[in-house]
Amino acid sequence: MCGIVGIIGREQVAPLLVDALKQLEYRGYDSAGVATLQDGVLDRRRAEGKLVNLDKLLKENPLGGTIGLGHTRWATHGAPTVRNAHPHTTPRLAVIHNGIIENFAELRAMLEKDGYVFETETDTETVAHLVTRALDRGLDPVEAVRETLPQLRGAFAIAIMFKGEDDLLIAARNGPPLAVGYGDGEMYLGSDAIALAPFTDSLSYLEDGDWAVLTRSGVVIYDETGATVERPVQKSAGTAFLVSKGNHRHFMEKEIHEQPEVISHTLANYLDFSKGTIRTDAAPIDFAKIDRIAASACGTAYYAGLIGKYWFERIARLPVDIDVASEFRYREMPLSKDSLALFVSQSGETADTLASLRYCKQQGLTIGTIVNVRESTMARESNTVFPTLAGPEVGVASTKAFTCQLAVLASLAVAAGKMRGTINEDEERQLVRELSEIPRYANQALRLEPQIEAISRDLSQVKHVLYLGRGTSFPLALEGALKLKEISYIHAEGYAAGELKHGPIALIDESMPVIVIAPYDHWFEKTVSNMQEVAARGGKIILITDEKGAAASTLKTMHTIVLPDTPEIIAPIIYALPIQMLAYYTAVFMGTDVDQPRNLAKSVTVE
Ligand code: F6R
């Protein structure tokens, strides 16, 4: 989940590397570093914490050179200190790494026995010394890397620059993504297209096991057998990736506000608004022939999948087994070849989700992935890609990707219902009409922002919060709790409202706000009964409901957030917005780093 970048260029590269790292900082921000080669001599600058610290350091103490490496770190092995920051160097080379070298302890012991002295606690330093040892034995850089790679176990994207080699970068991929960028007499390496967007839109993606030798005049790519291979050069969306906050204080705020628009783009991919049907090309999978869906994802994407389960089962009578990917991948569940394996991911790179996808592929299942980053590994390895058109999501806490995932899942559930004959044409048209209204309702939900900001001020004073919901509001309760804890650091739990009396009710007292998500749907009355149980024990209720729900509830609440009456299928998408705004404003009042909360990274490419 670190971000890596390499440039062999014509201009001074240090400022360019920092520009690229700015695009990659969403992958980790525990430390950052840059190394360059000037007149054959290696030098580096590294700083703890965010990239601004490195930027400052480079301004005070610049680095020259037209070839270099840059890294932004999400710490796995070793504390986030300057000493453990990448690039790691030996007298002969500098290396940057994203991922985990699983056998680093045994490699380190072997290298130490041979007299190599380690300066850090990182796994990456073993790569630096292994390649150095091969160079010390007289191999040239290419041969040294060729000899080293088979000794590494684990997941890695690495890039190496060699002392005295002003026209050479070597990179390798086994797991985390790595793109090669093509310029005019310049070549680039980056963890993703976003990193390279400031320089080029011509990219090729290394496959697992590939390694690449870059010079200013081009690249030679080898596969794991050592044979040279061609990887197609693709045009990425290039500068479209360059994102800014615009007039917003944070990316998260901007991304919350973008939702009506990006959901509308996403829906246009799946719905034929003029005919009022699902587009025939939107779901190139015969859901009538599928006996069940085996789904998995992580975090927010998992909660989207959980809501999708309710839709597929109710609308299409299609059973869905869904699990968090870190469990799914090791559970060895029996899978039928007639099942669809469905994955949900914003980045398309999350290590556990990718491993689950590969597991299902090995078992011979058809792979469908709902994914935001079209060039991602998951997109490339799937039989069918269901894109979300959320655009780049920079805030570490997922918002617009989540609601776009929901828009896709709802559309697919309707498509499946139609194919399986569980809904007729009129019902399809009705559901499509309802889905097409999401952007309008989402805009109305955004108008509640001032009220939600005021409520958040109260929320920022508390230590614990419970979220409750039933039906599709239950996964939303889980998502609400995740959003609040990850950006405000307030402890929060989400529960199925009916589970309250099986334990968590013991937590309720006057200091415990309980956020109840209760649209006026066919679960409403039952949820109200659960609210009564909370109120009877002095719990402070923040009710998120609609006009009908507000009129029907006679309970005294601390606050009631009233959304418009929405059709049932789209409620989880519309209710996601107040949930996100509550977390956002609470974090703003707490003064936390909203876009880059502590200990987190946007793309989790380690397990
Ligand atoms: C929370 C959040 C994470 C991600 C999870 C999966 O706000 O963003 O929980 O949802 O890390 O990431 P993707 O969707 O990239 O697979």
Side-chain angles (χ1 to χ4, degrees):
M1 14 215 288
C2 308
I4 70 177
V5 60
I7 303 177
I8 316 186
R10 288 182 297 197
E11 298 167 46
Q12 295 295 303
V13 284
L16 304 180
L17 290 166
V18 171
D19 278 351
L21 290 177
K22 279 184 191 146
Q23 307 294 329
L24 284 176
E25 209 180 9
Y26 73 93
R27 302 178 75 92
Y29 32 80
D30 286 332
S31 65
V34 156
T36 61
L37 196 58
Q38 191 171 25
D39 304 324
V41 178
L42 278 172
D43 201 357
R44 64 180 167 173
R45 303 282 179 270
R46 298 174 299 161
E48 211 174 299
K50 302 259 168 84
L51 190 58
V52 282
N53 301 339
L54 175 70
D55 205 11
K56 193 160 157 260
L57 184 67
L58 278 165
K59 289 207 169 87
E60 287 159 10
N61 195 359
L63 273 181
T66 57
I67 172 171
L69 300 175
H71 187 271
T72 179
R73 178 168 189 241
W74 186 81
T76 57
H77 294 60
T81 56
V82 173
R83 198 156 54 90
N84 288 328
H86 301 218
H88 293 295
T89 55
T90 69
R92 308 191 75 146
L93 55 83
V95 61
I96 49 176
H97 165 219
N98 169 26
I100 292 177
I101 307 296
E102 284 168 2
N103 57 336
F104 87 101
E106 70 193 67
L107 291 173
R108 182 173 175 143
M110 177 200 58
L111 286 157
E112 282 177 335
K113 221 156 89 227
D114 285 356
Y116 290 88
V117 179
F118 281 72
E119 287 174 2
T120 76
E121 292 109 53
T122 66
D123 51 340
T124 309
E125 205 185 344
T126 55
V127 181
H129 287 303
L130 270 181
V131 179
T132 300
R133 190 176 68 152
L135 294 171
D136 289 346
R137 289 197 354 262
L139 297 185
D140 68 26
V142 174
E143 290 312 313
V145 173
R146 191 194 295 278
E147 184 191 271
T148 300
L149 290 175
Q151 300 176 57
L152 305 178
R153 260 201 339 261
F156 51 83
I158 52 179
I160 312 175
M161 180 172 69
F162 300 86
K163 183 181 171 204
E165 298 281 352
D166 187 55
D167 193 22
L168 179 68
L169 285 180
I170 302 186
R173 175 195 176 178
N174 188 35
L178 195 54
V180 173
Y182 299 79
D184 184 11
E186 300 175 318
M187 291 294 288
Y188 309 93
L189 280 169
S191 290
D192 60 28
I194 301 181
L196 303 186
F199 318 117
T200 180
D201 61 357
S202 295
L203 303 176
S204 55
Y205 291 90
L206 298 188
E207 306 266 317
D208 271 349
D210 283 358
W211 57 289
V213 178
L214 284 83
T215 60
R216 281 183 182 77
S217 53
V219 61
V220 179
I221 302 177
Y222 301 92
D223 69 11
E224 60 194 334
T225 69
T228 51
V229 281
E230 297 287 328
R231 299 296 176 212
V233 181
Q234 308 171 14
K235 284 275 168 204
S236 87
T239 49
F241 279 121
L242 292 174
V243 282
S244 80
K245 283 194 274 233
N247 294 328
H248 294 274
R249 253 182 305 181
H250 298 102
F251 278 106
M252 183 174 177
E253 185 189 33
K254 172 173 172 263
E255 288 160 5
I256 288 173
H257 281 265
E258 280 172 356
Q259 288 177 105
E261 193 185 340
V262 295
I263 295 172
S264 149
H265 291 162
T266 302
L267 286 172
N269 208 49
Y270 296 89
L271 310 183
D272 186 329
F273 296 117
S274 59
K275 292 197 192 120
T277 57
I278 298 286
R279 282 175 49 162
T280 43
D281 56 349
I285 278 184
D286 189 351
F287 281 101
K289 294 215 172 95
I290 284 168
D291 62 358
R292 54 198 312 124
I293 294 178
S296 77
C298 298
T300 291
Y302 166 68
Y303 298 143
L306 212 49
I307 292 173
K309 172 182 166 76
Y310 285 79
W311 285 327
F312 275 108
E313 292 183 345
R314 273 192 88 191
I315 299 170
R317 312 304 300 154
L318 181 56
V320 178
D321 295 314
I322 175 154
D323 207 347
V324 287
S326 52
E327 291 300 316
F328 181 95
R329 63 182 290 191
Y330 295 117
R331 204 149 53 87
E332 296 176 22
M333 70 185 271
L335 291 166
S336 138
K337 291 216 174 26
D338 295 328
S339 295
L340 167 69
L342 185 65
F343 302 92
V344 187
S345 177
Q346 188 286 125
S347 62
E349 304 293 350
T350 302
D352 286 318
T353 313
L354 180 59
S356 304
L357 182 155
R358 288 176 175 163
Y359 173 75
C360 290
K361 210 167 180 179
Q362 256 173 16
Q363 305 294 310
L365 273 74
T366 304
I367 311 291
T369 302
I370 298 173
V371 66
N372 198 38
V373 180
R374 287 297 290 269
E375 288 109 338
S376 62
T377 310
M378 283 184 219
R380 281 180 282 123
E381 295 193 11
S382 299
N383 301 100
T384 304
V385 175
F386 301 109
T388 49
L389 281 80
E393 191 179 61
V394 177
V396 162
S398 187
T399 51
K400 61 177 182 168
F402 174 66
T403 47
C404 286
Q405 286 159 357
L406 290 178
V408 175
L409 283 158
S411 304
L412 293 181
V414 175
K418 187 69 198 317
M419 288 182 208
R420 294 165 69 82
T422 53
I423 56 170
N424 60 31
E425 273 174 18
D426 286 346
E427 286 164 324
E428 178 193 11
R429 256 194 289 277
Q430 170 72 16
L431 287 166
V432 167
R433 195 166 38 247
E434 292 175 355
L435 290 174
S436 66
E437 287 178 346
I438 298 171
R440 181 166 66 83
Y441 283 113
N443 265 319
Q444 291 181 29
L446 288 175
R447 287 192 211 122
L448 297 170
E449 198 169 13
Q451 185 201 4
I452 292 177
E453 184 176 358
I455 297 172
S456 303
R457 190 185 288 277
D458 291 345
L459 222 48
S460 67
Q461 307 296 317
V462 306
K463 293 223 162 9
H464 310 276
V465 180
L466 266 188
Y467 286 73
L468 299 180
R470 272 178 188 263
T472 50
S473 300
F474 159 49
L476 206 53
L478 298 173
E479 168 63 3
L482 172 62
K483 215 84 305 169
L484 187 72
K485 63 188 148 196
E486 71 180 325
I487 58 169
S488 74
Y489 316 146
I490 292 174
H491 172 232
E493 301 283 348
Y495 274 98
E499 273 291 294
L500 188 69
K501 55 179 95 50
H502 299 288
I505 199 160
L507 295 170
I508 306 278
D509 62 16
E510 309 71 53
S511 64
M512 172 72 90
V514 180
I515 299 179
V516 183
I517 306 164
Y520 192 76
D521 53 19
H522 66 275
W523 293 288
F524 181 76
E525 283 184 1
K526 296 199 181 305
T527 311
V528 168
S529 308
N530 302 128
M531 278 193 328
Q532 305 267 21
E533 294 154 9
V534 172
R537 283 152 185 92
K540 294 204 167 62
I541 295 166
I542 299 174
L543 173 63
I544 309 180
T545 186
D546 47 28
E547 285 156 15
K548 284 190 189 139
S553 159
T554 50
L555 268 182
K556 194 169 164 338
T557 62
M558 180 160 87
H559 299 288
T560 303
I561 297 169
V562 184
L563 288 154
D565 295 330
T566 57
E568 192 167 309
I569 187 172
I570 67 170
I573 304 178
I574 307 306
Y575 281 63
L577 273 65
I579 291 290
Q580 296 164 350
M581 288 191 282
L582 269 177
Y584 171 73
Y585 281 106
T586 305
V588 169
F589 283 120
M590 303 283 291
T592 59
D593 191 339
V594 172
D595 282 334
Q596 296 182 331
R598 68 185 180 204
N599 305 337
L600 289 174
K602 183 85 186 146
S603 179
V604 184
T605 54
V606 293
E607 58 170 303

